[in-house]
Amino acid sequence: MSAAIEISGLRKSFTISLSGEGSIKTAALWWRKRHIERVEVLRGVSLTVPQGECLAVVGRNGAGKSTLLSILAKVYLPSEGNVAVHGRLAPLLELGAGFHPDLSGRENVMFNAMILGLSRAEALARTPAILEFSGIEKFADAPVRTYSSGMLARLGFSVAVHVDAEILVVDEVLAVGDAEFEAKCYARIEQFREEGGTILFVSHDLDAIEKVAGRCVWLKDGLVKADGDVPKVLDAYRGSF
Amino acid sequence: MKSPALPGLLENLRELWRFRELLWAMTERELRIRYKNSALGFIWSLLNPLVTILVMTMVFKVFLRNQSEGYSAHVLAAYLPYMFVNLSILDSAQSVLAAMPMVKKVYFPREVLPLASVLANFVHFLLAIGVFFAYLFVLWAVTGFGDSPFTWRVAFLPPLVLITLVFATGVSLIVSALNVFYEDVKYVVGVVLYIGFFLTPVMYFVENVWHGLPAAYRGIGFSLYHLNPLVSITTAFRRTLVKAGPVDVGGAEGKVPPIPFDWGYFAWAAVASMLILWLGLSLFNRMKWRFVERP
């Protein structure tokens, strides 16, 4: 089995400004008092995710979980180290980030599918299936600003699982739909795994992790604290509270 | 282990080309959003220049008693490209910031954002030029007033439109990248564009500048004036679409014949536009990875 994701010696640091918003005023003041600091969020993470695995990442707030996922999604460049992603990766957008409120659900689905890497023709062909899965076909032509947050989450999830990604990156979003839709999501994820898809997800819902994950990584202060069997890692993680 | 190198300019352009369908889709989205909740839709884009030309014509022909021939047509021929550049820059200034929630989650070439704003305005610009062209033609064919716009000069329209696009894109890339970090930029740009409107021959002619300058500084002053690429670009649009006629420069000179089109200045405008585009692409490319990390 080949690796879907290979990470070695990954480090990421951010510059944070303690003096507030970026403005020319702030920049002009920097020469006097440097209100900027470097914060190292990831401090040397190495990780290999084989194809077809469902990996859960746990850790406290600020442990670097989301940063790790963002680097995989090519939103951030690593400060140091190597990241190799083999195959198409789709991040699951929370609450329809990238949906335009004035456009209809249908138009937004089209557009989001293209952002996630589908061609125009593919996006067009897949829109009916996406709308059907989301269960909001009835409102497909209403502007998205009239949608409830649950409807947005449904639509966002539906797009992400229909773009033929080989790797799905999920950052704490599964808990938004109702029970019925959640069951549908898990069923879909199961199907995705059976088809050989790789999943990387961050969650604070430890029960959900036990249900779906095949392996668990505990991130602590930007380092891998534990990596392996789900029950073992979760026990260690629970013990740290 | 050293930090990974940033991809070069050429590699970025290739990546952008790979995502061209997204760029078209984003352009289409901008166009849809713009008129989604308005009843008149695209007509607004035509109404705005028409009202402006009406007011300008009244001010200059009636209030100021300017006797230049074909004044309204000349103003419109310059106003359309100026407004295209103006709106492209203002729209794209906000483009990256407005899309931040998306930029923070998904990868796609960030250049798509300002480029879509420019292209959406470009579509309007082309339509407006088309309507203007049709108007000139119908006016000439039906009433015999003015001249037919179908002359050999029309051949210059495509490259001219392209140079305007290159200039607008270059400036937009610079402004949109800087505005992510310093939101003061968009206010500065607003002021510069307002002043730029007066320093570009839209409601007057280059002949007014030439004859208005004191004779001793005429050469140097006229050249300095042409440092602004939009001066040659707007003048070129006029000469392409409308027949140049005598210009009323006021004072003792009164009506003077038009100055022959200066290819030297035009070449400068073309080269400057390309330099600005290159600068814009490089700058945007260097800054785009830090958009999500702005302090």
Side-chain angles (χ1 to χ4, degrees):
Chain A
M1 203 155 28
S2 57
I5 299 171
E6 289 170 287
I7 304 169
S8 64
L10 175 64
R11 285 170 176 272
K12 180 69 195 171
S13 44
F14 291 101
T15 310
I16 56 166
S17 158
L18 302 175
S19 48
E21 287 288 299
S23 70
I24 288 179
K25 190 183 76 192
T26 330
L29 289 173
W30 276 353
W31 63 272
R32 270 178 65 192
K33 211 171 186 180
R34 283 190 146 247
H35 273 298
I36 47 169
E37 253 177 44
R38 302 269 317 155
V39 174
E40 198 162 43
V41 178
L42 294 175
R43 303 186 299 149
V45 172
S46 297
L47 199 63
T48 304
V49 185
Q51 214 170 25
E53 190 169 66
C54 180
L55 176 77
V57 182
V58 294
R60 298 269 183 99
N61 291 138
K65 307 183 295 293
S66 296
T67 305
L68 178 66
L69 296 197
S70 297
I71 289 176
L72 289 176
K74 272 173 58 178
V75 169
Y76 295 134
L77 278 187
S79 304
E80 243 178 72
N82 285 313
V83 174
V85 175
H86 308 289
R88 180 142 86 188
L89 179 145
L92 216 130
L93 303 178
E94 60 198 23
L95 280 188
F99 281 169
H100 194 285
D102 283 342
L103 292 180
S104 71
R106 192 185 302 279
E107 287 164 327
N108 272 308
V109 162
M110 228 353 245
F111 186 69
N112 260 33
M114 287 184 73
I115 282 192
L116 293 180
L118 289 192
S119 73
R120 190 185 188 86
E122 288 171 325
L124 201 62
R126 223 145 303 176
T127 303
I130 295 174
L131 289 171
E132 197 203 320
F133 185 87
S134 69
I136 53 161
E137 288 156 296
K138 217 175 117 191
F139 308 102
D141 294 307
V144 153
R145 68 175 124 80
T146 60
Y147 285 21
S148 70
S149 53
M151 288 160 80
L152 286 176
R154 278 163 171 254
L155 209 56
F157 182 86
S158 308
V159 176
V161 295
H162 282 87
V163 294
D164 291 348
E166 279 122 19
I167 304 160
L168 204 57
V169 166
V170 188
D171 192 353
E172 195 70 67
V173 273
L174 282 186
V176 224
D178 53 26
E180 182 230 332
F181 189 69
E182 208 180 301
K184 211 167 162 183
C185 291
Y186 283 120
R188 177 73 199 192
I189 286 178
E190 203 47 55
Q191 185 197 340
F192 179 77
R193 286 187 61 194
E194 276 163 18
E195 288 163 7
T198 311
I199 300 173
L200 204 77
F201 77 106
V202 162
S203 184
H204 292 289
D205 182 356
L206 304 185
D207 296 332
I209 291 175
E210 273 173 340
K211 204 156 53 175
V212 291
R215 177 179 155 202
C216 188
V217 164
W218 174 14
L219 274 188
K220 195 182 177 217
D221 300 330
L223 289 167
V224 176
K225 174 91 174 170
D227 180 356
D229 274 352
V230 178
K232 226 172 71 188
V233 175
L234 286 186
D235 276 350
Y237 179 55
R238 282 195 184 101
S240 74
F241 289 122
Chain B
M1 221 178 284
K2 61 178 179 16
S3 65
L6 283 171
L9 192 58
L10 222 73
E11 209 171 314
N12 268 285
L13 287 178
R14 222 172 283 135
E15 179 79 346
L16 191 62
W17 180 247
R18 238 169 37 80
F19 276 81
R20 62 189 179 279
E21 281 204 333
L22 180 65
L23 178 57
W24 312 145
M26 185 103 63
T27 307
E28 191 192 323
R29 189 174 90 141
E30 289 243 344
L31 290 171
R32 271 173 198 250
I33 293 166
R34 187 163 315 175
Y35 301 119
K36 198 81 186 177
N37 298 319
S38 72
L40 286 185
F42 170 69
I43 299 190
W44 282 119
S45 292
L46 296 177
L47 226 51
N48 172 330
L50 286 183
V51 172
T52 313
I53 275 38
L54 211 71
V55 174
M56 279 191 200
T57 306
M58 193 173 73
V59 170
F60 279 79
K61 295 210 92 158
V62 182
F63 299 173
L64 296 177
R65 292 199 195 176
N66 192 295
Q67 301 286 314
S68 303
E69 279 172 28
Y71 180 78
S72 311
H74 276 103
V75 173
L76 197 55
Y79 185 75
L80 294 178
Y82 187 85
M83 265 307 147
F84 158 59
V85 172
N86 182 78
L87 292 174
S88 299
I89 296 171
L90 288 179
D91 284 354
S92 55
Q94 281 298 86
S95 61
V96 177
L97 278 183
M100 247 333 165
M102 201 161 71
V103 171
K104 281 187 171 165
K105 287 288 164 198
V106 210
Y107 167 79
F108 56 90
R110 309 313 189 195
E111 286 87 351
V112 165
L113 297 167
L115 288 185
S117 298
V118 173
L119 285 183
N121 280 301
F122 188 61
V123 170
H124 278 139
F125 173 53
L126 290 183
L127 287 172
I129 287 276
V131 171
F132 180 48
F133 199 84
Y135 165 78
L136 288 175
F137 178 73
V138 168
L139 191 72
W140 167 78
V142 175
T143 67
F145 185 78
D147 295 279
S148 166
F150 282 106
T151 59
W152 58 273
R153 296 189 302 267
V154 171
F156 287 109
L157 212 46
L160 189 52
V161 162
L162 205 66
I163 290 169
T164 317
L165 177 64
V166 165
F167 178 77
T169 309
V171 180
S172 297
L173 284 168
I174 297 172
V175 168
S176 59
L178 290 177
N179 195 52
V180 175
F181 299 98
Y182 308 113
E183 282 195 60
D184 314 53
V185 170
K186 73 167 177 253
Y187 301 111
V188 174
V189 165
V191 173
V192 169
L193 286 172
Y194 181 73
I195 295 171
F197 181 74
F198 293 98
L199 292 180
T200 303
V202 176
M203 48 185 182
Y204 56 89
F205 296 79
V206 279
E207 286 79 2
N208 292 105
V209 179
W210 174 260
H211 290 279
L213 287 166
Y217 304 105
R218 219 163 246 177
I220 177 94
F222 204 53
S223 295
L224 279 176
Y225 178 70
H226 276 83
L227 278 181
N228 170 8
L230 284 174
V231 172
S232 293
I233 290 176
T234 48
T235 305
F237 268 102
R238 285 181 163 167
R239 296 290 163 95
T240 311
L241 290 167
V242 191
K243 193 179 166 195
V247 178
D248 183 357
V249 295
E253 283 130 319
K255 273 193 181 185
V256 297
I259 299 175
F261 187 68
D262 193 314
W263 288 95
Y265 288 142
F266 185 71
W268 154 252
V271 170
S273 301
M274 283 179 233
L275 281 177
I276 289 170
L277 178 62
W278 175 77
L279 183 75
L281 283 169
S282 323
L283 187 81
F284 197 94
N285 192 21
R286 276 188 50 171
M287 296 180 87
K288 66 178 174 186
W289 288 103
R290 289 193 286 131
F291 287 169
V292 279
E293 299 178 22
R294 69 191 172 121

